[in-house]
Each structure stands twice: as structure tokens, then as C-alpha cells.
Amino acid sequence: YMQKFETTFSKAAIIIPAFFYLIMIVISIIFLNQIVLYLTRDIGTMMALGIGKGDIVKLLSMVSLCISAGALVVGYVIGKIISIIGAKVFGEIYQLPTISIKLNILLIAASILITAIIGQIAVLASTGRIFKITPKDAMLNNETNKVKDALESKIKILSIKLLLKKKSLFTNHILH
């Protein structure tokens, strides 16, 4: 019975983290793309000052490593707390024997490496957006475009109102 439990537990210990790593890849790519979008003006300004795109990618890479390290620490702490509470609850409910899980240094090192690689994959996915940014485009970032679009729509509304007013004046003039 215990051998079957350990085999199942070992398989789950591989499958569950793999699933979360896949989710982490998607979230990291979306997050870093949003950072690049948010920092478009800053990136364009840095380029205008002569900082190369490679240096900007290196900076984003360092940001990604810091975020990955923080996420790894927070995830480890939360996982440890949940596993301790879960073991106590399930141990009392199902009267399971206490199992001591050894800390696997190799597994921790692999997690650190995988987390760093995932962060760098997200940076590589974001570089396409960075390489498209020019200093001119950076000055016309999304906020400027939103204002521009709002002004254009107001101008269109005013134009339509003016046309309708002229049409009504014209029809009133002809009828009278």
C-alpha cells in the first residue's frame, strides 16, 4: 500500500509542477509584454539617448530574473505552508502515517534553473516588441493615441452635427 502511494505521489510531484511551469510561461510572457507596453515611452527615450536595444533587453532580462527569484521564494513558502497544513488535515482525516519528505537539493536547483529559463523565454518573446519601438513611436504611446482617438471621435461628432445643422438650414430655406 505504501509503495503504491509513494509511486503515485512521485508521479504527481512531477506532473503538477510541470503544469504550473506551463502556466508560468504564459503569465510571464503576458506580464513582460505589458511591462514593455507600459514602458514604451521610457524605452524610446533611452534609445533616443543612445542606449542600444541589446542593453534594454539586458535590463529587461535582469528585471525578469529578479521577478523570477521573488516568485520562486514566495511560491516555495506558500507551497511549504500548504503542504504542512494539508499533511496534518489529511493525516487526521484518513489516519495516515506520518511521512517525512526529504529536501531534494537537486530538485530545488532544477526549479531555480527552470524558473530562470522561463523568465528568459518571456524576455525573448518580448524582444520583438522592443525592437519595433522607435523614439518617435515612444512619444506617441498609447495614452497619446487614446487622447488622439477621443479627439477624432469628438471632431467626427461635431462634423456630423454641423452637417445636420446645415442640411436643416438648407431644407428650411428651400421650403420657405
Side-chain angles (χ1 to χ4, degrees):
Y1 175 74
M2 286 304 290
Q3 184 67 26
K4 185 178 177 184
F5 176 75
E6 286 179 17
T7 305
T8 305
F9 191 74
S10 297
K11 288 179 183 176
I14 293 171
I15 293 171
I16 292 172
F19 174 73
F20 284 110
Y21 282 130
L22 288 174
I23 291 173
M24 194 169 113
I25 289 172
V26 172
I27 290 172
S28 296
I29 290 172
I30 291 169
F31 182 70
L32 282 173
N33 275 326
Q34 289 300 313
I35 287 175
V36 170
L37 187 64
Y38 181 75
L39 296 176
T40 299
R41 176 172 269 172
D42 299 324
I43 291 170
T45 303
M46 287 189 275
M47 287 181 189
L49 293 172
I51 297 173
K53 292 178 181 179
D55 293 328
I56 294 170
V57 170
K58 287 177 189 174
L59 180 65
L60 191 61
S61 179
M62 293 305 296
V63 168
S64 172
L65 284 174
C66 290
I67 292 170
S68 297
L72 192 63
V73 169
V74 170
Y76 176 78
V77 169
I78 291 173
K80 193 69 170 174
I81 291 169
I82 290 173
S83 68
I84 290 169
I85 293 170
K88 285 182 181 179
V89 169
F90 281 111
E92 290 175 8
I93 293 174
Y94 297 109
Q95 290 142 3
L96 297 173
T98 55
I99 300 172
S100 63
I101 299 173
K102 296 175 187 170
L103 191 62
N104 189 341
I105 300 297
L106 185 62
L107 191 60
I108 291 174
S111 294
I112 292 169
L113 182 66
I114 290 170
T115 304
I117 290 170
I118 288 171
Q120 298 313 303
I121 289 170
V123 169
L124 290 175
S126 301
T127 55
R129 178 170 264 156
I130 293 172
F131 290 150
K132 291 179 185 175
I133 296 173
T134 63
K136 179 185 172 190
D137 294 335
M139 294 304 134
L140 297 172
N141 69 354
N142 285 342
E143 292 174 22
T144 307
N145 288 337
K146 287 178 186 175
V147 171
K148 182 179 162 188
D149 292 342
L151 286 174
E152 285 178 357
S153 66
K154 287 188 179 195
I155 290 171
K156 286 178 187 176
I157 291 169
L158 287 173
S159 299
I160 292 170
K161 285 181 179 179
L162 270 172
L163 286 172
L164 290 174
K165 197 173 211 179
K166 283 185 179 182
K167 183 179 176 185
S168 67
L169 286 174
F170 180 72
T171 53
N172 285 342
H173 180 64
I174 291 178
L175 293 175
H176 293 294

